Amino acid sequence: MNKTLRLRLCLLFSVSLICLSGFSADPQIGYVYPAGACRGDTVTAVFGGQALWSVNEVLSSCEDIEAEFVDKANHRSPRSRRVYMPLVRARHKGKSDEHIQKLRKEMLKKEGRKEGDWYINRIEKMNKKQFQHFVEAAVRLNRLQRTNQIDQKVIAKIKVSEDAAPGRYELRLRGRNGITNPVVFMVGVNKEFREYEPNTREPRKGDVLQHPAVINGQITPGDVDKFYFNANKGEKLVIKTQARTLVPYLADSVPGWFQAVVSVRDQAGREAAFCDDFRNQPDPVILFDVPSTGKYTLEIRDAIYRGREDFVYRISIDKSPFVQSVFPLGAEKGGKVRAKLEGWNLPAKSAAFNTTDECGVKADYIRKAGLISNQFKYCVGRLPEMVEKETPKNSPQAVELPITANGKIAAGGDVDSFSFNAEKGRTYVFEVWAARLNSPLDSFLRIKNKEGKILAFNDDSEKTRTGMITHFADSYLIYEAKHSGTLFAEITDARGEGSSSHCYRLRISEPMPDFKVFTDRSSSRHNLGDYQMLKFSALRKDGFDGAIEISVSNEKSGYSLEGAVIPQGKDCVFATLHAPAKPAERLAELEFIAEAAAGGRKIVRSVTPADDTTQAFVLHHLVPAEAFLAELRGKGRRVFPVSVESKEPVKIVEGRGGTVSIKTAGHLRGKYGSIILSKKEGPEAIDYANIIPKKNGYDIKFRAREGIKAGDKGNIILEAKARVEPRKKGGKVNTWNLGCLPAIRYEVVSGA
């Protein structure tokens, strides 16, 4: 083979790879089963997702959880499955090698498949252990209707250290086409069991569970899973289910998550307990006061009898502590507070809050005899605190602002009232924290004057699509006083309910500007020195509308951000993440910080990594992750080194347009033929018009149409492709994907 032909083949192969990589989907995980393990255990887990064809590694968020990739068990085409599934079933039933070989030839001839099909032939080559792994992923699950989002399977071995702290962790898969989103993996302290089908028959002696225990299972269409356990009269058992906790949102199902329903039946088949929601949480919890000694049946199903592989659950049965209410629900930073606890199997009636760390929502547990309670939450704030006192006829309590009032709606119809002196023209914020801290209170808030006239009211706060909350039951109001005088803030339950558990925190103060920032994905994959688009979304608080600047806090990683400024008054921006130009750490955990000026002070907040997840076909949520991972690949130089000449925003003139200059490492027109640009992100009213080559770079011209006005700010992100001219006359013209250009900041100015 001569040198010219080799060069042509190499170029063709490179272009083909780049084109394929441009169309390759990012790998995604829909579930892992089982979704947890006991400390000291090793389990074989199945990951279900899409675009997992290149996966060969499992990543864990904790050093105490070792995850090892075992094999892939991806479903192939229908014709291929019709061949290999009979072979799997035959071997699973213990048929001889001669029988399996004969069956293979018959099925191949019937379906017109080739004898050398790798996926079919490997069934016979698996050893006993490998085959068992494959059966767990393929045989049982193949009975279900195929779903593209979770059709591909990966098998892994997960080993949990005996020293691992119980709680929630994250697992990801990694391959040539990137890193997946994280999935939840729980670590417990009780002995764990796995559900096997069929589980609706009467139990054998060994099938009756002895608590404490954790059951791992999956719900198939129309399935009702049954488990049997012994209990003694007077025992206070906590039967806790994790379903939506494990898989928060389903993209193609309504309701948008596995809505588990759990019940307990006695030996006569009578229903002894039932739960579908626990307060404002979709996952059911049964506090079961055992009425008599005997064998009981625990049943779990979907509320409307749906089912699929990603309907994964964990149910614990034990006598662990369970916290039902905490009062007060928080404390001032630095204060010494012991909160009163109510619940089951509690070792103490109070717990001390940790108020020495940063302000915000905290979570804690209670331990008893090796068992761990559910998570209870409280809030640490910066304002002075008070505890509401029960007064005759709900008479108002006078408070001095700013204040955070802690109280209870102790009975149905109870109304707590607080009075304060307001000044004309001043703005006041009223914010309730209850449902977000696991209180059953669905607050209703109203502001009155002396005459009893309602000036403002609010039931549920605005939906933000961030995190796991879908019922925004906590009230929030911003009110500007029209007159000076006494105002009254009243809080009650919107449903007219009340109890000792209906606790709340009510902040009354002038605005305290603040914000939170989220990414739209928790991982990125880079070639050396390239740019990847990344969206940052801001959740603004108390009327704050200033600009927010975002940067990479761990600069030693070599990564940087371009155009990462959320403009004033806007809630999001598309920026570009710039990878190091030289080979460095291949897998880096990046941390972003967001800074802004508000109220005469500088606010610095950590950016929360998150993944944009679809719920029920339409709704989008940002689901928080523990870390943002950036993967670097490649060994040579950046193919298209490029930067924006000026760090200042390009001026776009109303009705006309503007020009931005970019620099490259030398004039590339002769190398590629020509550069083709397309707009990947930016306002519709600003169009890319033309690209003009010049020495060491290009001038990019934009034109502005109607619909954009002076003062508008943001980013324009362009994608570049190279036109590769054929070497032979009449040959095919190819395009080479060069990736994103750095984000181009713009500012619209008047044309006058």
Side-chain angles (χ1 to χ4, degrees):
M1 185 182 292
N2 60 42
K3 186 176 180 182
T4 303
L5 182 57
R6 282 201 305 270
L7 287 173
R8 288 180 181 178
L9 287 175
C10 288
L11 177 63
L12 179 61
F13 180 69
S14 300
V15 172
S16 301
L17 281 181
I18 289 174
C19 292
L20 284 173
S21 65
F23 287 99
S24 64
D26 292 332
Q28 295 284 325
I29 311 177
Y31 71 93
V32 58
Y33 176 73
C38 178
R39 291 188 297 187
D41 282 358
T42 299
V43 298
T44 299
V46 177
F47 293 84
Q50 59 182 334
L52 303 181
W53 53 268
S54 73
V55 165
N56 56 15
E57 185 180 0
V58 186
L59 303 178
S60 169
S61 65
C62 175
E63 293 180 354
D64 291 328
I65 301 177
E66 297 179 9
E68 178 188 354
F69 173 82
V70 175
D71 200 357
K72 291 191 284 284
N74 300 342
H75 288 306
R76 311 296 286 185
S77 67
R79 286 176 64 201
S80 181
R81 282 199 312 279
R82 286 197 293 267
V83 175
Y84 76 72
M85 285 311 300
L87 302 181
V88 172
R89 292 193 179 97
R91 182 171 175 182
H92 186 56
K93 291 178 181 178
K95 300 294 184 180
S96 65
D97 292 342
E98 292 77 10
H99 176 87
I100 293 174
Q101 291 174 7
K102 182 179 178 182
L103 179 62
R104 175 166 59 86
K105 292 179 180 179
E106 292 175 356
M107 296 303 299
L108 287 170
K109 184 178 180 181
K110 181 180 179 181
E111 296 295 334
R113 303 294 294 174
K114 293 181 180 179
E115 184 71 25
D117 189 300
W118 172 84
Y119 202 74
I120 295 171
N121 291 345
R122 72 192 289 259
I123 301 296
E124 299 177 34
K125 298 177 182 178
M126 293 179 186
N127 59 37
K128 187 176 181 181
K129 200 169 187 180
Q130 290 172 332
F131 181 73
Q132 181 60 33
H133 291 324
F134 188 84
V135 167
E136 291 177 3
V139 174
R140 174 175 178 254
L141 301 180
N142 192 61
R143 299 183 295 105
L144 306 180
Q145 182 179 356
R146 290 187 65 201
T147 305
N148 289 334
Q149 293 90 334
I150 53 175
D151 191 43
Q152 296 188 19
K153 308 292 188 298
V154 169
I155 304 168
K157 201 181 266 187
I158 301 172
K159 182 180 180 181
V160 181
S161 167
E162 293 183 355
D163 299 325
R168 178 188 183 278
Y169 298 93
E170 292 182 349
L171 298 176
R172 302 175 190 244
L173 299 177
R174 182 186 183 191
R176 291 196 310 277
N177 59 334
I179 302 172
T180 67
N181 57 300
V183 287
V184 175
F185 189 83
M186 304 297 298
V187 172
V189 296
N190 296 335
K191 187 176 180 181
E192 303 222 355
F193 300 89
R194 191 184 298 196
E195 170 227 8
Y196 289 100
E197 297 286 355
N199 65 358
T200 54
R201 53 177 168 69
E202 282 300 308
R204 298 186 297 266
K205 185 176 180 181
D207 292 335
V208 179
L209 300 176
Q210 302 298 322
H211 60 78
V214 175
I215 306 163
N216 294 277
Q218 291 169 291
I219 292 294
T220 54
D223 199 5
V224 179
D225 286 353
K226 296 183 179 182
F227 306 96
Y228 307 91
F229 65 94
N230 290 321
N232 298 319
K233 181 178 180 179
E235 286 184 319
K236 292 184 177 295
L237 297 181
V238 177
I239 303 174
K240 190 167 48 181
T241 305
Q242 293 175 318
R244 187 181 176 238
T245 304
L246 307 175
V247 182
Y249 295 108
L250 298 177
D252 55 351
S253 191
V254 179
W257 52 77
F258 168 24
Q259 181 58 65
V261 173
V262 175
S263 62
V264 177
R265 296 183 180 275
D266 61 19
Q267 294 185 89
R270 295 184 296 262
E271 188 174 87
F274 173 87
C275 186
D276 58 351
D277 292 308
F278 183 74
R279 295 176 177 172
N280 57 355
Q281 303 297 323
D283 286 345
V285 176
I286 292 178
L287 302 176
F288 186 43
D289 194 348
V290 181
S292 60
T293 300
K295 185 181 71 177
Y296 290 85
T297 304
L298 174 65
E299 297 182 353
I300 179 172
R301 61 175 174 84
D302 179 68
I304 52 176
Y305 293 94
R306 301 169 300 163
R308 211 167 57 183
E309 297 104 305
D310 50 358
F311 280 49
V312 177
Y313 62 83
R314 284 167 60 83
I315 303 179
S316 61
I317 309 174
D318 54 32
K319 292 186 283 188
S320 62
F322 189 86
V323 180
Q324 290 180 279
S325 69
V326 179
F327 186 78
L329 281 174
E332 184 180 0
K333 183 179 179 181
K336 294 183 179 180
V337 174
R338 284 197 71 86
K340 295 180 180 178
L341 305 179
E342 292 184 3
W344 278 38
N345 306 323
L346 299 181
K349 294 184 178 180
S350 65
F353 286 159
N354 178 9
T355 61
T356 59
D357 295 336
E358 293 297 320
C359 295
V361 177
K362 312 294 181 183
D364 207 346
Y365 302 87
I366 291 178
R367 291 167 173 78
K368 178 184 178 182
L371 298 176
I372 300 175
S373 74
N374 59 314
Q375 187 183 73
F376 66 89
K377 297 180 180 179
Y378 59 94
C379 194
V380 176
R382 298 198 303 267
L383 301 182
E385 305 251 342
M386 66 160 288
V387 176
E388 172 254 349
K389 297 178 182 178
E390 291 297 332
T391 57
K393 298 182 180 179
N394 294 326
S395 58
Q397 297 180 55
V399 296
E400 291 187 10
L401 305 189
I403 194 72
T404 297
N406 294 276
K408 298 179 182 180
I409 301 301
D414 187 14
V415 179
D416 289 351
S417 180
F418 303 90
S419 64
F420 63 96
N421 292 322
E423 294 183 26
K424 181 180 178 179
R426 284 189 177 272
T427 301
Y428 299 94
V429 176
F430 307 84
E431 181 182 22
V432 176
W433 281 80
R436 287 174 288 178
L437 300 175
N438 297 335
S439 169
L441 178 69
D442 183 355
S443 63
F444 183 83
L445 185 64
R446 53 181 174 248
I447 311 303
K448 291 183 176 180
N449 59 16
K450 279 186 177 181
E451 290 73 34
K453 180 181 178 181
I454 297 177
L455 305 176
F457 66 90
N458 180 257
D459 181 5
D460 298 333
S461 55
E462 183 180 358
K463 297 182 178 181
T464 60
R465 304 295 179 206
T466 56
M468 299 279 286
I469 299 174
T470 55
H471 180 204
F472 294 81
D474 290 341
S475 306
Y476 180 85
L477 266 177
I478 296 183
Y479 176 74
E480 183 180 344
K482 305 297 188 293
H483 306 280
S484 295
T486 303
L487 294 181
F488 302 87
E490 294 184 349
I491 180 173
T492 187
D493 186 82
R495 296 167 294 195
E497 299 176 356
S499 72
S500 60
S501 298
H502 283 63
C503 307
Y504 65 84
R505 285 170 62 80
L506 172 61
R507 171 173 70 96
I508 308 175
S509 69
E510 293 188 44
M512 300 170 62
D514 208 338
F515 60 87
K516 289 182 179 179
V517 178
F518 300 82
T519 63
D520 69 330
R521 54 197 169 104
S522 63
S523 67
S524 62
R525 181 179 50 131
H526 298 261
N527 290 318
L528 293 175
D530 77 354
Y531 296 86
Q532 293 293 331
M533 190 167 72
L534 186 61
K535 182 180 179 182
F536 293 93
S537 300
L539 178 59
R540 299 176 180 270
K541 187 176 180 181
D542 285 11
F544 171 71
D545 67 347
I548 304 172
E549 296 187 10
I550 306 163
S551 60
V552 181
S553 63
N554 46 342
E555 296 178 353
K556 291 183 179 179
S557 65
Y559 288 85
S560 60
L561 286 167
E562 301 283 346
V565 178
I566 302 178
Q568 181 176 351
K570 292 190 177 182
D571 293 330
C572 66
V573 71
F574 286 89
T576 47
L577 181 61
H578 187 197
K582 296 180 180 180
E585 189 178 5
R586 293 296 175 177
L587 186 62
E589 183 176 321
L590 301 186
E591 298 174 0
F592 305 107
I593 56 171
E595 302 178 56
R601 67 188 182 98
K602 184 179 180 180
I603 305 174
V604 180
R605 297 285 179 262
S606 295
V607 175
T608 302
D611 288 288
D612 188 339
T613 307
T614 306
Q615 175 206 343
F617 300 98
V618 176
L619 303 177
H620 283 257
H621 299 267
L622 293 174
V623 179
E626 291 186 14
F628 186 98
L629 301 181
E631 182 183 23
L632 191 63
R633 62 179 187 172
K635 298 179 180 179
R637 294 181 178 180
R638 166 83 163 116
V639 174
F640 187 48
V642 61
S643 62
V644 179
E645 280 192 3
S646 175
K647 297 297 181 183
E648 297 298 317
V650 58
K651 305 297 183 183
I652 303 291
V653 182
E654 278 185 301
R656 282 180 266 175
T659 302
V660 64
S661 296
I662 63 170
K663 294 191 300 183
T664 64
H667 182 43
L668 301 179
R669 184 176 176 84
K671 180 176 181 180
Y672 291 125
S674 61
I675 302 296
I676 305 167
L677 297 181
S678 59
K679 190 172 74 173
K680 193 169 185 179
E681 187 58 47
E684 293 183 5
I686 299 178
D687 287 336
Y688 153 68
N690 196 10
I691 178 171
I692 303 171
K694 65 176 187 177
K695 186 178 180 180
N696 296 328
Y698 299 87
D699 281 340
I700 301 174
K701 291 187 175 293
F702 297 99
R703 59 172 175 262
R705 303 197 314 265
E706 291 184 5
I708 197 163
K709 57 184 180 180
D712 285 350
K713 297 179 181 179
N715 289 340
I716 300 171
I717 299 178
L718 301 175
E719 191 171 41
K721 292 183 180 180
R723 179 184 173 91
V724 183
E725 299 291 348
R727 292 180 177 270
K728 265 188 168 183
K729 188 176 180 180
K732 185 179 178 182
V733 176
N734 292 301
T735 57
W736 190 322
N737 189 357
L738 301 175
C740 282
L741 270 63
I744 300 169
R745 297 174 62 192
Y746 71 86
E747 181 180 356
V748 181
V749 297
S750 174

